[in-house]
Amino acid sequence: MSKSLLISLLAIILCFGAMDAIWLGIIADEIYQQEMQGMLRAEYPVWPWVSFYLIYALSITILAVQPSFNNLANATLQPSKSILVVAFRGFILGLAAYGAYNLTNYAILANWSLKIALID
């Protein structure tokens, strides 16, 4: 993995960590507490969310960021277009990953609310 891709991977991990800390710790905490009564653990194990962040950040790097680096190296895309391509690929990957998680939970868990499925 090149130095640029490694920096991208670390940036993705930091951004997701910061966004989830704000979302889960501040903005949506009360909503989750209300909507998911009886489903939340008293204490959260660390390894599942650390594993998710590593796997997801690596997936974003491989599926969205790296192809754009390759396109730039081959001069097939201009940098401004490359950023849009990366953003679009990342958006599609995020939509698929979070959509699969939330829609599957909504389909099979009796207490998983549509509100949580849509806002998460």
Short mmCIF file of all heavy atoms in Angstrom, two decimals, residues 18-83:
data_model
loop_
_atom_site.label_atom_id
_atom_site.label_comp_id
_atom_site.label_asym_id
_atom_site.label_seq_id
_atom_site.Cartn_x
_atom_site.Cartn_y
_atom_site.Cartn_z
N ALA A 18 -14.73 10.30 14.42
CA ALA A 18 -15.24 11.60 14.86
C ALA A 18 -16.73 11.74 14.56
O ALA A 18 -17.52 12.18 15.41
CB ALA A 18 -14.45 12.72 14.19
N MET A 19 -17.14 11.35 13.34
CA MET A 19 -18.55 11.47 12.98
C MET A 19 -19.43 10.59 13.85
O MET A 19 -20.50 11.01 14.30
CB MET A 19 -18.76 11.12 11.50
CG MET A 19 -18.23 12.17 10.55
SD MET A 19 -18.64 11.91 8.81
CE MET A 19 -17.92 10.31 8.48
N ASP A 20 -19.00 9.36 14.11
CA ASP A 20 -19.80 8.47 14.95
C ASP A 20 -19.80 8.94 16.40
O ASP A 20 -20.81 8.79 17.09
CB ASP A 20 -19.31 7.03 14.85
CG ASP A 20 -20.15 6.21 13.88
OD1 ASP A 20 -21.05 6.78 13.24
OD2 ASP A 20 -19.91 5.00 13.77
N ALA A 21 -18.70 9.50 16.88
CA ALA A 21 -18.68 10.02 18.25
C ALA A 21 -19.71 11.15 18.39
O ALA A 21 -20.45 11.20 19.37
CB ALA A 21 -17.28 10.52 18.61
N ILE A 22 -19.76 12.01 17.40
CA ILE A 22 -20.74 13.11 17.43
C ILE A 22 -22.16 12.57 17.28
O ILE A 22 -23.06 12.93 18.03
CB ILE A 22 -20.41 14.15 16.34
CG1 ILE A 22 -19.09 14.86 16.67
CG2 ILE A 22 -21.55 15.16 16.18
CD1 ILE A 22 -18.52 15.68 15.52
N TRP A 23 -22.36 11.70 16.29
CA TRP A 23 -23.70 11.17 16.01
C TRP A 23 -24.21 10.30 17.16
O TRP A 23 -25.28 10.55 17.71
CB TRP A 23 -23.70 10.37 14.71
CG TRP A 23 -25.01 9.71 14.42
CD1 TRP A 23 -25.28 8.39 14.48
CD2 TRP A 23 -26.23 10.36 14.05
NE1 TRP A 23 -26.60 8.15 14.17
CE2 TRP A 23 -27.20 9.34 13.90
CE3 TRP A 23 -26.60 11.68 13.84
CZ2 TRP A 23 -28.51 9.63 13.54
CZ3 TRP A 23 -27.91 11.96 13.48
CH2 TRP A 23 -28.86 10.94 13.33
N LEU A 24 -23.44 9.28 17.52
CA LEU A 24 -23.90 8.34 18.54
C LEU A 24 -23.80 8.89 19.96
O LEU A 24 -24.61 8.54 20.82
CB LEU A 24 -23.09 7.04 18.45
CG LEU A 24 -23.26 6.24 17.16
CD1 LEU A 24 -22.27 5.09 17.12
CD2 LEU A 24 -24.69 5.76 16.99
N GLY A 25 -22.82 9.73 20.20
CA GLY A 25 -22.61 10.23 21.56
C GLY A 25 -23.39 11.48 21.90
O GLY A 25 -23.66 11.74 23.07
N ILE A 26 -23.75 12.27 20.88
CA ILE A 26 -24.40 13.55 21.17
C ILE A 26 -25.76 13.67 20.48
O ILE A 26 -26.79 13.80 21.14
CB ILE A 26 -23.49 14.73 20.72
CG1 ILE A 26 -22.16 14.68 21.49
CG2 ILE A 26 -24.19 16.07 20.93
CD1 ILE A 26 -21.10 15.63 20.95
N ILE A 27 -25.77 13.63 19.16
CA ILE A 27 -26.98 13.94 18.40
C ILE A 27 -28.07 12.89 18.57
O ILE A 27 -29.21 13.22 18.89
CB ILE A 27 -26.64 14.13 16.90
CG1 ILE A 27 -25.70 15.32 16.72
CG2 ILE A 27 -27.91 14.30 16.07
CD1 ILE A 27 -25.13 15.47 15.33
N ALA A 28 -27.74 11.63 18.35
CA ALA A 28 -28.78 10.60 18.30
C ALA A 28 -28.89 9.74 19.55
O ALA A 28 -29.71 8.84 19.60
CB ALA A 28 -28.53 9.69 17.09
N ASP A 29 -28.10 10.03 20.55
CA ASP A 29 -28.10 9.19 21.76
C ASP A 29 -29.50 9.06 22.35
O ASP A 29 -29.96 7.95 22.62
CB ASP A 29 -27.13 9.76 22.79
CG ASP A 29 -27.06 8.89 24.04
OD1 ASP A 29 -26.84 7.68 23.90
OD2 ASP A 29 -27.25 9.43 25.15
N GLU A 30 -30.20 10.15 22.53
CA GLU A 30 -31.53 10.11 23.12
C GLU A 30 -32.52 9.36 22.22
O GLU A 30 -33.35 8.58 22.71
CB GLU A 30 -32.04 11.53 23.38
CG GLU A 30 -33.32 11.56 24.18
CD GLU A 30 -33.74 12.98 24.52
OE1 GLU A 30 -32.88 13.81 24.84
OE2 GLU A 30 -34.95 13.26 24.45
N ILE A 31 -32.40 9.56 20.92
CA ILE A 31 -33.28 8.86 19.97
C ILE A 31 -33.07 7.36 20.07
O ILE A 31 -34.03 6.58 20.15
CB ILE A 31 -33.03 9.35 18.53
CG1 ILE A 31 -33.38 10.83 18.39
CG2 ILE A 31 -33.82 8.51 17.52
CD1 ILE A 31 -32.89 11.46 17.10
N TYR A 32 -31.81 6.93 20.08
CA TYR A 32 -31.52 5.50 20.20
C TYR A 32 -32.04 4.95 21.52
O TYR A 32 -32.60 3.85 21.56
CB TYR A 32 -30.02 5.23 20.08
CG TYR A 32 -29.50 5.25 18.67
CD1 TYR A 32 -28.94 6.39 18.13
CD2 TYR A 32 -29.58 4.12 17.87
CE1 TYR A 32 -28.47 6.41 16.84
CE2 TYR A 32 -29.11 4.12 16.57
CZ TYR A 32 -28.56 5.28 16.06
OH TYR A 32 -28.09 5.29 14.78
N GLN A 33 -31.84 5.69 22.60
CA GLN A 33 -32.31 5.23 23.91
C GLN A 33 -33.82 5.03 23.90
O GLN A 33 -34.33 4.05 24.44
CB GLN A 33 -31.91 6.23 25.01
CG GLN A 33 -30.43 6.38 25.23
CD GLN A 33 -29.76 5.11 25.74
OE1 GLN A 33 -30.37 4.29 26.41
NE2 GLN A 33 -28.50 4.97 25.41
N GLN A 34 -34.56 5.96 23.28
CA GLN A 34 -36.02 5.86 23.23
C GLN A 34 -36.49 4.75 22.29
O GLN A 34 -37.37 3.97 22.64
CB GLN A 34 -36.64 7.19 22.76
CG GLN A 34 -36.51 8.31 23.74
CD GLN A 34 -36.96 9.63 23.15
OE1 GLN A 34 -37.28 9.75 21.98
NE2 GLN A 34 -36.95 10.67 23.99
N GLU A 35 -35.91 4.70 21.11
CA GLU A 35 -36.37 3.78 20.07
C GLU A 35 -35.93 2.34 20.31
O GLU A 35 -36.56 1.42 19.80
CB GLU A 35 -35.88 4.24 18.69
CG GLU A 35 -36.45 5.55 18.23
CD GLU A 35 -37.93 5.45 17.88
OE1 GLU A 35 -38.36 4.44 17.29
OE2 GLU A 35 -38.67 6.41 18.22
N MET A 36 -34.86 2.15 21.06
CA MET A 36 -34.30 0.81 21.20
C MET A 36 -34.30 0.33 22.64
O MET A 36 -33.41 -0.42 23.06
CB MET A 36 -32.87 0.80 20.61
CG MET A 36 -32.84 1.20 19.15
SD MET A 36 -31.19 1.43 18.53
CE MET A 36 -30.78 -0.25 18.14
N GLN A 37 -35.31 0.73 23.39
CA GLN A 37 -35.41 0.32 24.78
C GLN A 37 -35.38 -1.20 24.89
O GLN A 37 -36.05 -1.91 24.16
CB GLN A 37 -36.70 0.84 25.40
CG GLN A 37 -36.69 2.32 25.62
CD GLN A 37 -38.02 2.82 26.19
OE1 GLN A 37 -39.00 2.09 26.25
NE2 GLN A 37 -38.03 4.07 26.60
N GLY A 38 -34.55 -1.68 25.79
CA GLY A 38 -34.45 -3.11 26.02
C GLY A 38 -33.54 -3.83 25.04
O GLY A 38 -33.26 -5.01 25.22
N MET A 39 -33.08 -3.14 24.01
CA MET A 39 -32.21 -3.77 23.01
C MET A 39 -30.75 -3.39 23.20
O MET A 39 -29.87 -4.06 22.67
CB MET A 39 -32.65 -3.37 21.60
CG MET A 39 -34.01 -3.91 21.20
SD MET A 39 -34.61 -3.28 19.62
CE MET A 39 -33.29 -3.66 18.50
N LEU A 40 -30.47 -2.32 23.92
CA LEU A 40 -29.11 -1.82 24.07
C LEU A 40 -28.42 -2.48 25.25
O LEU A 40 -29.03 -2.70 26.29
CB LEU A 40 -29.10 -0.30 24.24
CG LEU A 40 -29.66 0.50 23.07
CD1 LEU A 40 -29.69 1.99 23.42
CD2 LEU A 40 -28.82 0.28 21.83
N ARG A 41 -27.15 -2.73 25.11
CA ARG A 41 -26.34 -3.28 26.19
C ARG A 41 -26.03 -2.18 27.20
O ARG A 41 -25.97 -1.01 26.85
CB ARG A 41 -25.01 -3.81 25.67
CG ARG A 41 -25.10 -4.95 24.71
CD ARG A 41 -23.69 -5.27 24.21
NE ARG A 41 -23.69 -6.29 23.20
CZ ARG A 41 -23.33 -7.55 23.42
NH1 ARG A 41 -22.92 -7.91 24.62
NH2 ARG A 41 -23.34 -8.44 22.46
N ALA A 42 -25.79 -2.58 28.43
CA ALA A 42 -25.36 -1.62 29.45
C ALA A 42 -23.96 -1.11 29.12
O ALA A 42 -23.64 0.06 29.27
CB ALA A 42 -25.40 -2.25 30.83
N GLU A 43 -23.10 -2.01 28.65
CA GLU A 43 -21.74 -1.65 28.23
C GLU A 43 -21.50 -2.27 26.85
O GLU A 43 -21.89 -3.40 26.59
CB GLU A 43 -20.71 -2.18 29.22
CG GLU A 43 -20.78 -1.52 30.57
CD GLU A 43 -19.68 -2.02 31.50
OE1 GLU A 43 -18.61 -2.41 31.00
OE2 GLU A 43 -19.91 -2.01 32.72
N TYR A 44 -20.85 -1.51 25.99
CA TYR A 44 -20.59 -1.96 24.63
C TYR A 44 -19.21 -2.59 24.53
O TYR A 44 -18.22 -1.99 24.92
CB TYR A 44 -20.69 -0.80 23.65
CG TYR A 44 -22.00 -0.05 23.70
CD1 TYR A 44 -22.04 1.29 24.01
CD2 TYR A 44 -23.19 -0.71 23.45
CE1 TYR A 44 -23.24 1.98 24.06
CE2 TYR A 44 -24.40 -0.04 23.51
CZ TYR A 44 -24.43 1.30 23.80
OH TYR A 44 -25.61 1.97 23.85
N PRO A 45 -19.13 -3.82 23.98
CA PRO A 45 -17.80 -4.40 23.76
C PRO A 45 -17.06 -3.60 22.68
O PRO A 45 -17.68 -3.12 21.73
CB PRO A 45 -18.11 -5.83 23.28
CG PRO A 45 -19.51 -5.80 22.79
CD PRO A 45 -20.21 -4.69 23.53
N VAL A 46 -15.78 -3.45 22.82
CA VAL A 46 -14.99 -2.61 21.93
C VAL A 46 -14.66 -3.31 20.61
O VAL A 46 -14.71 -2.69 19.54
CB VAL A 46 -13.71 -2.14 22.64
CG1 VAL A 46 -12.79 -1.40 21.69
CG2 VAL A 46 -14.06 -1.27 23.84
N TRP A 47 -14.32 -4.59 20.64
CA TRP A 47 -13.82 -5.25 19.45
C TRP A 47 -14.75 -5.21 18.25
O TRP A 47 -14.28 -5.07 17.12
CB TRP A 47 -13.35 -6.69 19.75
CG TRP A 47 -14.46 -7.67 19.99
CD1 TRP A 47 -14.98 -8.04 21.19
CD2 TRP A 47 -15.18 -8.39 19.00
NE1 TRP A 47 -15.99 -8.94 21.02
CE2 TRP A 47 -16.14 -9.18 19.68
CE3 TRP A 47 -15.13 -8.45 17.62
CZ2 TRP A 47 -17.03 -10.01 19.01
CZ3 TRP A 47 -16.02 -9.29 16.94
CH2 TRP A 47 -16.95 -10.05 17.65
N PRO A 48 -16.11 -5.31 18.40
CA PRO A 48 -16.94 -5.29 17.19
C PRO A 48 -16.88 -3.95 16.44
O PRO A 48 -16.78 -3.93 15.22
CB PRO A 48 -18.35 -5.55 17.71
CG PRO A 48 -18.16 -6.23 19.01
CD PRO A 48 -16.91 -5.64 19.59
N TRP A 49 -16.92 -2.83 17.18
CA TRP A 49 -16.91 -1.57 16.45
C TRP A 49 -15.53 -1.21 15.93
O TRP A 49 -15.40 -0.61 14.86
CB TRP A 49 -17.57 -0.43 17.22
CG TRP A 49 -17.04 -0.07 18.57
CD1 TRP A 49 -17.50 -0.51 19.77
CD2 TRP A 49 -15.96 0.82 18.86
NE1 TRP A 49 -16.77 0.03 20.79
CE2 TRP A 49 -15.82 0.88 20.26
CE3 TRP A 49 -15.09 1.58 18.09
CZ2 TRP A 49 -14.87 1.64 20.90
CZ3 TRP A 49 -14.14 2.37 18.72
CH2 TRP A 49 -14.04 2.38 20.10
N VAL A 50 -14.47 -1.62 16.62
CA VAL A 50 -13.11 -1.41 16.11
C VAL A 50 -12.92 -2.25 14.84
O VAL A 50 -12.40 -1.76 13.83
CB VAL A 50 -12.05 -1.75 17.17
CG1 VAL A 50 -10.66 -1.80 16.56
CG2 VAL A 50 -12.09 -0.75 18.31
N SER A 51 -13.39 -3.49 14.87
CA SER A 51 -13.31 -4.35 13.69
C SER A 51 -14.07 -3.76 12.51
O SER A 51 -13.58 -3.74 11.38
CB SER A 51 -13.86 -5.75 14.00
OG SER A 51 -13.11 -6.36 15.01
N PHE A 52 -15.28 -3.26 12.78
CA PHE A 52 -16.08 -2.64 11.72
C PHE A 52 -15.34 -1.46 11.10
O PHE A 52 -15.26 -1.35 9.87
CB PHE A 52 -17.44 -2.18 12.23
CG PHE A 52 -18.16 -1.31 11.23
CD1 PHE A 52 -18.76 -1.87 10.12
CD2 PHE A 52 -18.21 0.07 11.40
CE1 PHE A 52 -19.39 -1.06 9.17
CE2 PHE A 52 -18.83 0.88 10.47
CZ PHE A 52 -19.43 0.31 9.36
N TYR A 53 -14.82 -0.56 11.93
CA TYR A 53 -14.11 0.60 11.41
C TYR A 53 -12.93 0.20 10.54
O TYR A 53 -12.71 0.79 9.47
CB TYR A 53 -13.63 1.52 12.53
CG TYR A 53 -14.70 2.39 13.11
CD1 TYR A 53 -14.99 2.37 14.45
CD2 TYR A 53 -15.43 3.25 12.31
CE1 TYR A 53 -15.98 3.15 14.99
CE2 TYR A 53 -16.43 4.05 12.83
CZ TYR A 53 -16.70 4.00 14.18
OH TYR A 53 -17.68 4.78 14.70
N LEU A 54 -12.17 -0.77 10.97
CA LEU A 54 -11.01 -1.21 10.18
C LEU A 54 -11.43 -1.83 8.86
O LEU A 54 -10.90 -1.51 7.80
CB LEU A 54 -10.15 -2.18 10.99
CG LEU A 54 -9.47 -1.59 12.23
CD1 LEU A 54 -8.75 -2.68 13.02
CD2 LEU A 54 -8.51 -0.48 11.84
N ILE A 55 -12.41 -2.72 8.91
CA ILE A 55 -12.90 -3.38 7.69
C ILE A 55 -13.53 -2.37 6.74
O ILE A 55 -13.27 -2.37 5.54
CB ILE A 55 -13.90 -4.50 8.04
CG1 ILE A 55 -13.20 -5.65 8.76
CG2 ILE A 55 -14.63 -5.00 6.79
CD1 ILE A 55 -14.14 -6.64 9.42
N TYR A 56 -14.36 -1.48 7.28
CA TYR A 56 -15.07 -0.52 6.43
C TYR A 56 -14.10 0.51 5.83
O TYR A 56 -14.20 0.83 4.65
CB TYR A 56 -16.18 0.15 7.24
CG TYR A 56 -17.19 0.84 6.37
CD1 TYR A 56 -17.88 0.15 5.38
CD2 TYR A 56 -17.46 2.19 6.54
CE1 TYR A 56 -18.81 0.79 4.59
CE2 TYR A 56 -18.39 2.83 5.74
CZ TYR A 56 -19.06 2.12 4.77
OH TYR A 56 -19.98 2.76 3.98
N ALA A 57 -13.17 0.99 6.63
CA ALA A 57 -12.19 1.95 6.12
C ALA A 57 -11.32 1.31 5.03
O ALA A 57 -11.02 1.94 4.01
CB ALA A 57 -11.32 2.48 7.25
N LEU A 58 -10.94 0.06 5.24
CA LEU A 58 -10.16 -0.64 4.22
C LEU A 58 -10.98 -0.83 2.95
O LEU A 58 -10.48 -0.67 1.84
CB LEU A 58 -9.66 -1.98 4.77
CG LEU A 58 -8.67 -2.73 3.90
CD1 LEU A 58 -7.41 -1.91 3.64
CD2 LEU A 58 -8.29 -4.04 4.58
N SER A 59 -12.26 -1.15 3.11
CA SER A 59 -13.15 -1.31 1.95
C SER A 59 -13.29 -0.01 1.17
O SER A 59 -13.24 -0.01 -0.06
CB SER A 59 -14.53 -1.79 2.40
OG SER A 59 -14.44 -3.04 3.03
N ILE A 60 -13.46 1.09 1.87
CA ILE A 60 -13.56 2.39 1.20
C ILE A 60 -12.26 2.69 0.46
O ILE A 60 -12.28 3.15 -0.69
CB ILE A 60 -13.87 3.51 2.21
CG1 ILE A 60 -15.28 3.35 2.78
CG2 ILE A 60 -13.71 4.89 1.56
CD1 ILE A 60 -15.56 4.24 3.97
N THR A 61 -11.15 2.42 1.11
CA THR A 61 -9.85 2.68 0.48
C THR A 61 -9.68 1.85 -0.78
O THR A 61 -9.27 2.37 -1.83
CB THR A 61 -8.71 2.39 1.48
OG1 THR A 61 -8.89 3.20 2.64
CG2 THR A 61 -7.36 2.69 0.87
N ILE A 62 -10.02 0.58 -0.72
CA ILE A 62 -9.83 -0.31 -1.87
C ILE A 62 -10.85 -0.04 -2.98
O ILE A 62 -10.49 -0.01 -4.16
CB ILE A 62 -9.90 -1.79 -1.43
CG1 ILE A 62 -8.68 -2.12 -0.56
CG2 ILE A 62 -9.98 -2.73 -2.63
CD1 ILE A 62 -8.79 -3.47 0.15
N LEU A 63 -12.12 0.16 -2.62
CA LEU A 63 -13.17 0.26 -3.62
C LEU A 63 -13.44 1.68 -4.13
O LEU A 63 -13.95 1.84 -5.24
CB LEU A 63 -14.47 -0.34 -3.06
CG LEU A 63 -14.40 -1.82 -2.71
CD1 LEU A 63 -15.68 -2.27 -2.04
CD2 LEU A 63 -14.10 -2.66 -3.94
N ALA A 64 -13.11 2.69 -3.35
CA ALA A 64 -13.41 4.06 -3.77
C ALA A 64 -12.16 4.90 -4.00
O ALA A 64 -12.04 5.57 -5.02
CB ALA A 64 -14.31 4.75 -2.74
N VAL A 65 -11.23 4.86 -3.07
CA VAL A 65 -10.06 5.74 -3.15
C VAL A 65 -9.02 5.21 -4.14
O VAL A 65 -8.57 5.95 -5.02
CB VAL A 65 -9.44 5.95 -1.75
CG1 VAL A 65 -8.18 6.79 -1.84
CG2 VAL A 65 -10.46 6.60 -0.82
N GLN A 66 -8.62 3.95 -3.99
CA GLN A 66 -7.54 3.42 -4.81
C GLN A 66 -7.83 3.49 -6.31
O GLN A 66 -6.94 3.87 -7.07
CB GLN A 66 -7.21 1.98 -4.41
CG GLN A 66 -6.01 1.43 -5.15
CD GLN A 66 -5.61 0.06 -4.65
OE1 GLN A 66 -6.37 -0.61 -3.99
NE2 GLN A 66 -4.40 -0.34 -4.97
N PRO A 67 -9.04 3.16 -6.78
CA PRO A 67 -9.27 3.28 -8.22
C PRO A 67 -9.07 4.70 -8.75
O PRO A 67 -8.60 4.89 -9.87
CB PRO A 67 -10.73 2.84 -8.39
CG PRO A 67 -10.99 1.95 -7.23
CD PRO A 67 -10.19 2.54 -6.10
N SER A 68 -9.37 5.68 -7.93
CA SER A 68 -9.17 7.06 -8.37
C SER A 68 -7.70 7.44 -8.39
O SER A 68 -7.26 8.19 -9.24
CB SER A 68 -9.96 8.02 -7.48
OG SER A 68 -11.34 7.77 -7.67
N PHE A 69 -6.94 6.89 -7.43
CA PHE A 69 -5.49 7.09 -7.46
C PHE A 69 -4.92 6.49 -8.76
O PHE A 69 -4.08 7.08 -9.40
CB PHE A 69 -4.81 6.42 -6.26
CG PHE A 69 -4.73 7.30 -5.05
CD1 PHE A 69 -5.81 7.46 -4.21
CD2 PHE A 69 -3.55 7.96 -4.74
CE1 PHE A 69 -5.72 8.25 -3.09
CE2 PHE A 69 -3.45 8.74 -3.61
CZ PHE A 69 -4.55 8.90 -2.78
N ASN A 70 -5.41 5.31 -9.11
CA ASN A 70 -4.95 4.66 -10.34
C ASN A 70 -5.32 5.48 -11.57
O ASN A 70 -4.53 5.61 -12.49
CB ASN A 70 -5.53 3.25 -10.46
CG ASN A 70 -5.00 2.31 -9.39
OD1 ASN A 70 -3.96 2.57 -8.79
ND2 ASN A 70 -5.71 1.24 -9.15
N ASN A 71 -6.53 6.05 -11.58
CA ASN A 71 -6.94 6.88 -12.71
C ASN A 71 -6.06 8.11 -12.83
O ASN A 71 -5.72 8.53 -13.93
CB ASN A 71 -8.41 7.29 -12.57
CG ASN A 71 -9.35 6.14 -12.83
OD1 ASN A 71 -8.99 5.18 -13.50
ND2 ASN A 71 -10.55 6.22 -12.30
N LEU A 72 -5.71 8.71 -11.70
CA LEU A 72 -4.83 9.88 -11.73
C LEU A 72 -3.44 9.51 -12.24
O LEU A 72 -2.84 10.25 -13.02
CB LEU A 72 -4.72 10.52 -10.35
CG LEU A 72 -5.85 11.43 -9.94
CD1 LEU A 72 -5.66 11.91 -8.51
CD2 LEU A 72 -5.96 12.62 -10.87
N ALA A 73 -2.95 8.37 -11.81
CA ALA A 73 -1.63 7.93 -12.25
C ALA A 73 -1.60 7.69 -13.75
O ALA A 73 -0.60 7.94 -14.41
CB ALA A 73 -1.22 6.66 -11.51
N ASN A 74 -2.74 7.24 -14.28
CA ASN A 74 -2.84 7.00 -15.72
C ASN A 74 -3.33 8.23 -16.48
O ASN A 74 -3.56 8.16 -17.68
CB ASN A 74 -3.78 5.82 -16.01
CG ASN A 74 -3.26 4.53 -15.42
OD1 ASN A 74 -2.06 4.33 -15.34
ND2 ASN A 74 -4.16 3.66 -15.00
N ALA A 75 -3.54 9.32 -15.75
CA ALA A 75 -4.00 10.59 -16.33
C ALA A 75 -5.32 10.46 -17.08
O ALA A 75 -5.54 11.12 -18.08
CB ALA A 75 -2.92 11.18 -17.23
N THR A 76 -6.22 9.58 -16.59
CA THR A 76 -7.51 9.45 -17.24
C THR A 76 -8.56 10.37 -16.63
O THR A 76 -9.60 10.58 -17.22
CB THR A 76 -8.02 7.99 -17.18
OG1 THR A 76 -8.10 7.58 -15.81
CG2 THR A 76 -7.09 7.07 -17.94
N LEU A 77 -8.29 10.88 -15.43
CA LEU A 77 -9.21 11.82 -14.79
C LEU A 77 -8.45 13.03 -14.29
O LEU A 77 -7.32 12.91 -13.83
CB LEU A 77 -9.92 11.17 -13.59
CG LEU A 77 -11.01 10.16 -13.84
CD1 LEU A 77 -11.51 9.61 -12.52
CD2 LEU A 77 -12.16 10.76 -14.62
N GLN A 78 -9.09 14.19 -14.33
CA GLN A 78 -8.50 15.37 -13.73
C GLN A 78 -8.75 15.30 -12.22
O GLN A 78 -9.73 14.68 -11.78
CB GLN A 78 -9.14 16.63 -14.30
CG GLN A 78 -8.86 16.80 -15.78
CD GLN A 78 -9.61 17.97 -16.37
OE1 GLN A 78 -10.43 18.59 -15.71
NE2 GLN A 78 -9.33 18.27 -17.62
N PRO A 79 -7.89 15.94 -11.40
CA PRO A 79 -8.04 15.84 -9.94
C PRO A 79 -9.42 16.23 -9.44
O PRO A 79 -9.97 15.56 -8.57
CB PRO A 79 -6.96 16.79 -9.42
CG PRO A 79 -5.92 16.78 -10.48
CD PRO A 79 -6.67 16.64 -11.79
N SER A 80 -10.03 17.29 -9.95
CA SER A 80 -11.35 17.71 -9.46
C SER A 80 -12.40 16.66 -9.77
O SER A 80 -13.29 16.40 -8.97
CB SER A 80 -11.74 19.06 -10.06
OG SER A 80 -11.80 18.97 -11.47
N LYS A 81 -12.31 16.05 -10.94
CA LYS A 81 -13.25 14.98 -11.29
C LYS A 81 -12.98 13.75 -10.44
O LYS A 81 -13.91 13.04 -10.06
CB LYS A 81 -13.14 14.64 -12.77
CG LYS A 81 -13.70 15.69 -13.69
CD LYS A 81 -13.64 15.25 -15.13
CE LYS A 81 -14.18 16.35 -16.03
NZ LYS A 81 -14.11 15.98 -17.45
N SER A 82 -11.72 13.49 -10.14
CA SER A 82 -11.36 12.34 -9.32
C SER A 82 -11.99 12.44 -7.93
O SER A 82 -12.47 11.45 -7.40
CB SER A 82 -9.85 12.21 -9.21
OG SER A 82 -9.51 11.11 -8.42
N ILE A 83 -11.98 13.63 -7.35
CA ILE A 83 -12.58 13.82 -6.02
C ILE A 83 -14.06 13.51 -6.07
O ILE A 83 -14.60 12.85 -5.17
CB ILE A 83 -12.31 15.25 -5.51
CG1 ILE A 83 -10.82 15.40 -5.20
CG2 ILE A 83 -13.15 15.57 -4.29
CD1 ILE A 83 -10.38 16.81 -4.92
#
